[in-house]
Amino acid sequence: MVTLPIILEVINTRKHRVLMVAQAALPEHQYRAFKTLFLDEFGQKGLETELARIFTEDRQQGKG
């Protein structure tokens, strides 16, 4: 069964790699701004929260 923690683990691995590439390619001040925006979109304030909501709704519909 696919679970939220499994999906988040896979996503976090990719996020880490993207941040490493950005850090290598951008000047420090641009990297800091990119990292903030990137994590807002794909971290707990963005994608992770949306996925948690989707999984919760799916579980609730399965019980109903």
Side-chain angles (χ1 to χ4, degrees), residues 1-55:
M1 174 181 213
V2 178
T3 63
L4 182 59
I6 291 170
I7 290 175
L8 292 178
E9 182 180 334
V10 171
I11 290 171
N12 285 335
T13 299
R14 298 327 187 269
K15 286 189 320 190
H16 179 72
R17 289 183 55 84
V18 169
L19 289 174
M20 285 177 48
V21 170
Q23 187 173 24
L26 297 171
E28 181 62 30
H29 69 283
Q30 288 180 335
Y31 170 71
R32 285 193 309 256
F34 174 81
K35 181 179 177 182
T36 298
L37 292 171
F38 182 81
L39 292 177
D40 282 351
E41 288 299 317
F42 293 96
Q44 291 180 352
K45 295 179 183 178
L47 181 62
E48 289 183 19
T49 299
E50 289 181 39
L51 288 174
R53 179 186 53 78
I54 290 167
F55 270 80

